Each structure stands twice: as structure tokens, then as C-alpha cells.
Amino acid sequence: MLYLILSIICSVTVGVIFKTSKKYTANISQIVAWNYIFAIVLCYLFFKPDLQTINNDAPWELYIPLSILLPSVFVFLALSIKHMGIVKTDAAQRLSLFIPVIAAYFLFKESFSVYKIIGLVIGFPAIALILSKKDSNTENKWLYPAIVLFGFGTVDVLFKNIALQTSLPFTTSLFVIFCGALVIAWLYVIYELIVKKEKFCLFNFAFGALVGIFNFCNILFYLYAHKEFAKNPSTVFAGMNMGVIVLGSLAGIFVFKEKMTRLNYLGLFLALCAIVFITLSQMQQS
């Protein structure tokens, strides 16, 4: 259980770092770019990827879109935290689980139990309530958490396909994807420096290092938690999703004083209920 708790803390800490960086007018793209340098180094040290096994048989049709999506979604994650807060962003990220669930039905022809259907029925209004805003701001800032939801959901579907591959170990694939994401992220940073005349700031390096370390630790502890609960993976699934929503909500409300309406709180409650029902459906199948 310790690994699961540490994974939850690391996941929420990434959001806290992005939220804190707002005070220093940091550049999100540079933070994301530096993050991948530290993630790659740690991935190489801890997972020891077998780079000699990478060849033309590797699933490049999955590596390439993931290399593009990961840094892109990360930027929208930071923008969502900046404009909509940690509470709504963490909830949107965790509710992205509905994308692979729906994909499982339509793409992989998985049968749906009553629990899973109830979870989906509860989940969609939960998303609407969480993203609802009381103010009259006409800017479409709700798009940021919406993109986070669909982006992370799509990434999850692609990673599930990666896990089905037998040509390479998953950790080696993860290293390759991180390298691809690093290239994409730094290409965009170079574009900003040359075209948009953005400044190179050491604050971005510091925040990028912190994000990279905690983001990697989140993955590392998550994998260890799955290993510890090998016979009951639904425990990890439920604990991670509910833990991040609860801890993220507490951090947003009490640390950063984020304003929440009654509808937002109702949405958070429904989100937790939806995750519980989907977890129950997984336990039925195991």
C-alpha cells in the first residue's frame, strides 16, 4: 500500500508544481521540455532498457503519436491547472479512464457489465458538473480540462496497445517514447525562442527538474504497486484514481483556496462513485 500512496502523492505534486510555477511567470513549454530530460535519465537508470532490441519491428505507429501527444497533453495539463485549478484538472485527468473503457467496447468488443454501464452513466454528468463554472467569463478555458480528459484517455488507449506488443519490453518502449517526446518538446521550445522571442529562464529548468522527478516517481511507484497487488490490480486502479481526486481536491481547496460551487462538489462525488462502479466491474471480470 505504501507504493500506491507514494504514487498518489507524486501525481498530485506534479500539479502543485505547475500551480506554483504560475507565481514565477514560468514558461510551460520549457518546463515540459526539461521534464523529459530528467525522466529519460531516471528511466535509463532504474529500468535499464535494452536498446539493442529496438529495430524496425518496434511499433513505431504507436511510438510516434505517443511522442507527439505526451508533451502536448502535458502542456494542456499545465494550462488547465493554471486557469481552472488543480481540483478540476485532476478530476478531468482521472475521468479520462472513460475513453479506454469506451474503446474497449467498440474496438476490442469487450462485454459491459451492469456495474460498468452504471459507472459510465454516472461519469458523464460528473464531468459536466466538475467543469461547470459560476462566473460569466466568456473565454473557453473549460476546453483545457476537456482536452486533458480526451488527451490522457487517448494516450491510455495507445499505451494499452503498447502493453500488448511482444517485440519489446514495456519499459524499453517507455524509454523510446520519452526520447521522442523530448525531441518534440524541444522543437517547440526552439520555435518559441526564435519566432515568439521567449526568454530562456533558469526557473523553467528548476521546475522542469521537479516535474520530471515526481512524474517519473509516479510511474515507478505505480508499477511497484501493481507488482505488489499483482492478484488484485483493481485495488491499484481504484486507489490511484480516487486518491488523486481526493488529495488533489484537498490541495486545491485548502492550499490554493480554489473556489468550488455546490455543483462542482456534486460532480466530484459522482466522479468517485463512477470510478467505484467501474472498479467493481473489473473485479467481476478478474
Side-chain angles (χ1 to χ4, degrees):
M1 188 60 72
L2 176 62
Y3 291 131
L4 182 58
I5 294 171
L6 289 173
S7 181
I8 292 168
I9 292 172
C10 288
S11 179
V12 174
T13 301
V14 170
V16 172
I17 293 168
F18 275 126
K19 184 76 173 179
T20 305
S21 69
K22 180 182 177 181
K23 298 179 182 179
Y24 298 89
T25 61
N27 182 285
I28 294 172
S29 301
Q30 290 181 31
I31 292 175
V32 171
W34 284 116
N35 145 75
Y36 283 114
I37 290 180
F38 285 87
I40 287 170
V41 172
L42 291 171
C43 185
Y44 186 82
L45 292 176
F46 280 88
F47 294 149
K48 307 295 183 184
D50 187 1
L51 303 182
Q52 294 182 346
T53 60
I54 303 172
N55 50 41
N56 293 329
D57 294 329
W60 293 102
E61 70 280 2
L62 298 173
Y63 290 167
I64 293 172
L66 277 169
S67 297
I68 297 171
L69 275 173
L70 277 181
S72 303
V73 173
F74 227 150
V75 168
F76 280 105
L77 176 75
L79 289 171
S80 179
I81 290 170
K82 179 180 178 181
H83 294 291
M84 297 293 285
I86 292 177
V87 178
K88 295 182 179 182
T89 303
D90 276 339
Q93 184 180 352
R94 293 301 145 186
L95 284 170
S96 66
L97 68 96
F98 291 112
I99 305 298
V101 167
I102 294 171
Y105 180 78
F106 288 103
L107 296 180
F108 305 110
K109 309 301 179 184
E110 180 184 316
S111 60
F112 272 27
S113 67
V114 175
Y115 284 140
K116 190 167 287 187
I117 293 172
I118 293 173
L120 288 172
V121 171
I122 295 173
F124 287 112
I127 295 169
L129 290 170
I130 290 170
L131 300 184
S132 64
K133 294 184 70 177
K134 189 175 180 180
D135 57 40
S136 57
N137 191 348
T138 56
E139 293 185 53
N140 292 329
K141 292 179 181 178
W142 60 268
L143 280 174
Y144 295 141
I147 292 173
V148 167
L149 190 154
F150 287 104
F152 274 101
T154 304
V155 166
D156 195 27
V157 172
L158 292 173
F159 267 125
K160 286 183 185 297
N161 280 281
I162 289 284
L164 295 174
Q165 303 294 317
T166 57
S167 57
L168 283 176
F170 180 79
T171 50
T172 302
S173 293
L174 187 65
F175 182 82
V176 174
I177 293 165
F178 277 167
C179 288
L182 174 72
V183 172
I184 298 298
W186 277 101
L187 283 175
Y188 187 73
V189 167
I190 292 170
Y191 163 78
E192 282 190 328
L193 291 173
I194 296 175
V195 178
K196 294 186 176 182
K197 307 299 181 183
E198 292 282 352
K199 293 182 179 179
F200 214 72
C201 182
L202 286 178
F203 276 124
N204 300 320
F205 172 81
F207 283 120
L210 289 173
V211 170
I213 291 169
F214 280 102
N215 189 36
F216 175 80
C217 287
N218 170 34
I219 296 170
L220 181 66
F221 291 133
Y222 188 67
L223 291 175
Y224 279 146
H226 269 294
K227 194 173 182 180
E228 185 177 322
F229 292 98
K231 294 182 179 179
N232 193 8
S234 58
T235 301
V236 181
F237 177 81
M240 187 66 188
N241 284 280
M242 289 187 287
V244 168
I245 289 180
V246 171
L247 186 59
S249 298
L250 292 174
I253 295 167
F254 293 106
V255 178
F256 296 104
K257 310 299 180 184
E258 294 178 5
K259 294 180 180 180
M260 298 283 287
T261 65
R262 291 181 179 178
L263 290 178
N264 295 150
Y265 283 116
L266 177 59
L268 287 172
F269 174 74
L270 290 177
L272 290 173
C273 291
I275 290 170
V276 168
F277 276 111
I278 290 179
T279 303
L280 289 173
S281 73
Q282 286 193 328
M283 292 175 69
Q284 278 188 328
Q285 293 174 352
S286 61

